[in-house]
DNA sequence: GCCCATCCATGCCGTCAGGTTATCGATCGC
DNA sequence: GCGATCGATAACCTGACGGCATGGATGGGC
């Protein structure tokens, strides 16, 4: 009834919570089903809480189980990140890893890195290009990232805003709306709009260049922050969308970080951003 | 060399990291010293990283160890919070716990709670008064809190700003500076200033009333946000400090929360704040 | 309506991780 | 140099965790 939860218990719980099936979950974990059942029971006894409703034919999460599913994922992320960051701290080659989307720095990266170099306590910065930068941060695979708000979930991160710019619609140059000085989201209602957020119908774009290629082919219309639209292919046009929330480019890092090197990078970013 | 870290290992590691003494740490943990030594060695082997420098007379943290000390604390906090929130979610009496400093709500609490009541998915809100509200949040003992920025560390929290007001110096009515229309921080250089932040010399104040009592006695001068200065004792005066950063009162909650009840409270706070 | 398939819980047993005590080796203060 | 202190090592013991076999409940097929 007491004592802290073990990560093994949480991982087992999440396995069951994920496919709501003890036998399959056990197989995925590489253990036998009874062992899993017993561990879950023990976890429930220890918490004093029923986590699953077992109807002998179907398994469902109780409300408390839903809470634990969310919290456990967060806790395990934190544990894994602890291990990764510790390993990284031990390499003889100390450096920071900055994650960004290729072309998504609005030209600010160079001045930031230059300013960082002049900061005391700074470390060499290695840049990696990746789409899911938030995950890299949470998993401890990157130390900082260039993110977009409000497109991305910033919870658990500390941030330094760099630049705020309106959303632009990117259209084929020949598109009837391309000549307009500005648009409203309603104008694009009938288009197949590809944004930064959420899934849309139609073809998927893996990178900005791919996305713009699709726009040029007339298969979609893109809504992107202004700072990724320069320079623009000559067969495309971009028009501000006045009633869309503007996008902020920001530097983000794990919230509880106390590393002086991260602090130096944040100071550099603040100094190099056009805001000041 | 693989597999996730266990919370037991992290807790043991932190015990050693805390007093840098294996025998004492083992005693505190209620185990024998060899068991602790072996567990730490195993942890080091598993991470592939030396965490302590043992000089057979003194134990110190390596740089990697310092990183792990920080990260492990965070991870264990997350695990403990997971257990607490799960237990709380199971009680038959669902409610939110809001932590605040007594008198620190600028009169906004009532309208917020009233607005919350009208929100769908809202839960009854129970208010507790406590100084270290950030800790309550991180430990899962509170679901939301009224905090002050920049006085408090908001990392890992989501926030909704409610009100921004200048810092005021609170002085005895008879103080030479009390008649001034405004002050600058330099004017208070020679005073024994008690703020919200950091330790100062002189007597400690546990509550706002205590603090104001000390001011009335001429033992200190207080710097506090304006919204806690009304009404003010008649023997005190308050004067805005023009070059101090203004203070924002905000509602905060754990960043990764997805609870609809918290969302309802946040919406209510946003609706009831004078900002809109 | 019976029977079988499915799926989680239980009982029993073996193994190893994690604990204990005893002891060693190294270092510092006197 | 000697004793005291402290972490590492050695040898051993116990119980938690996992495996296998089986039970019990439920739903679907014929």
């Amino acid at each position: 009834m007491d004592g802290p939860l073990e990560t093994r218990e949480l991982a087992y719980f999440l396995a069951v919570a994920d496919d709501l099936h003890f036998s399959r979950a056990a197989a995925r974990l590489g253990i036998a089903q009874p062992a899993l059942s017993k561990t879950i029971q023990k976890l429930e006894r220890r918490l004093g809480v029923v986590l699953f409703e077992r109807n002998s034919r179907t398994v469902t999460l109780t409300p408390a189980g839903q809470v634990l599913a969310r919290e456990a994922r967060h806790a395990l992320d934190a544990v894994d990140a602890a291990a990764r960051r510790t390993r990284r701290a031990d390499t003889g080659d100390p450096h920071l890893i900055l994650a960004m989307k290729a072309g998504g720095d609005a030209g600010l990266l160079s001045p930031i890195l230059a300013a960082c170099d002049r900061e005391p306590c700074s470390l060499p910065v290695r840049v990696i290009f990746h789409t899911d930068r938030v995950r890299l941060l949470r998993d401890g695979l990157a130390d900082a990232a260039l993110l977009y708000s409000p497109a991305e979930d910033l919870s658990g991160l500390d941030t330094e805003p760099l630049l705020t710019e309106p959303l632009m619609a990117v259209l084929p140059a020949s598109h009837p709306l391309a000549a307009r000085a500005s648009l409203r989201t309603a104008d694009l209602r009938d288009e197949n709009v590809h944004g930064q957020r959420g899934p849309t119908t139609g073809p998927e774009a893996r990178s900005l260049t791919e996305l713009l290629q699709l726009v040029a082919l007339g298969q979609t219309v893109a809504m992107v922050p202004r700072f990724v639209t320069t320079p623009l292919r000559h067969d495309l046009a971009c028009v501000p969308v006045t009633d869309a929330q503007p996008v902020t480019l920001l530097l983000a890092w794990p919230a509880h970080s106390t590393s002086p090197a991260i602090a130096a990078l944040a100071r550099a970013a603040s100094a190099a951003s056009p805001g000041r």
Side-chain angles (χ1 to χ4, degrees), chain A residues 42-102:
Chain A
K42 184 172 173 181
L43 177 61
E44 291 181 320
R45 244 180 299 121
R46 193 185 293 197
L47 286 168
V49 163
V50 178
L51 299 171
F52 295 103
E53 214 64 68
R54 292 91 146 168
N55 267 348
S56 163
R57 200 64 187 174
T58 166
V59 175
T60 56
L61 278 168
T62 63
Q66 292 170 23
V67 169
L68 185 60
R70 177 162 35 87
E71 298 285 334
R73 247 177 275 274
H74 180 244
L76 288 186
D77 278 353
V79 172
D80 285 349
R84 262 189 276 262
R85 296 213 176 91
T86 305
R87 290 203 183 94
R88 284 257 329 277
D90 186 59
T91 66
D93 165 30
H95 62 276
L96 295 181
I97 296 183
L98 172 69
M100 59 176 288
K101 263 187 181 164

Side-chain angles (χ1 to χ4, degrees), chain A residues 166-179:
Chain A
L167 260 189
M168 309 289 280
V170 180
L171 311 154
S174 58
H175 193 283
L177 295 174

Side-chain angles (χ1 to χ4, degrees), chain A residues 9-183:
Chain A
E9 299 175 302
L10 294 179
Y12 284 12
F13 165 77
L14 280 185
V16 179
D18 276 346
D19 54 19
L20 296 176
H21 196 291
F22 279 73
S23 305
R24 269 200 298 274
R28 258 198 318 145
L29 292 169
I31 63 172
Q33 167 261 317
L36 182 56
S37 284
K38 280 190 284 192
T39 302
I40 299 294
Q41 288 170 36
K42 184 172 173 181
L43 177 61
E44 291 181 320
R45 244 180 299 121
R46 193 185 293 197
L47 286 168
V49 163
V50 178
L51 299 171
F52 295 103
E53 214 64 68
R54 292 91 146 168
N55 267 348
S56 163
R57 200 64 187 174
T58 166
V59 175
T60 56
L61 278 168
T62 63
Q66 292 170 23
V67 169
L68 185 60
R70 177 162 35 87
E71 298 285 334
R73 247 177 275 274
H74 180 244
L76 288 186
D77 278 353
V79 172
D80 285 349
R84 262 189 276 262
R85 296 213 176 91
T86 305
R87 290 203 183 94
R88 284 257 329 277
D90 186 59
T91 66
D93 165 30
H95 62 276
L96 295 181
I97 296 183
L98 172 69
M100 59 176 288
K101 263 187 181 164
D105 68 330
L108 287 174
L109 186 58
S110 296
I112 288 176
L113 294 187
C116 187
D117 222 28
R118 293 190 298 269
E119 287 283 337
C121 301
S122 74
L123 289 178
V125 174
R126 219 158 286 180
V127 178
I128 59 176
F129 299 108
H130 201 277
T131 309
D132 197 353
R133 296 142 296 162
V134 173
R135 177 121 287 272
L136 293 185
L137 280 184
R138 294 198 204 290
D139 288 352
L141 292 169
D143 302 294
L146 292 179
L147 302 181
Y148 310 126
S149 166
E152 283 162 309
D153 173 24
L154 303 179
S155 62
L157 304 177
D158 268 1
T159 58
E160 175 72 38
L162 301 177
L163 184 66
T164 298
E165 290 199 325
L167 260 189
M168 309 289 280
V170 180
L171 311 154
S174 58
H175 193 283
L177 295 174
R180 297 270 292 271
S182 73
L183 295 174

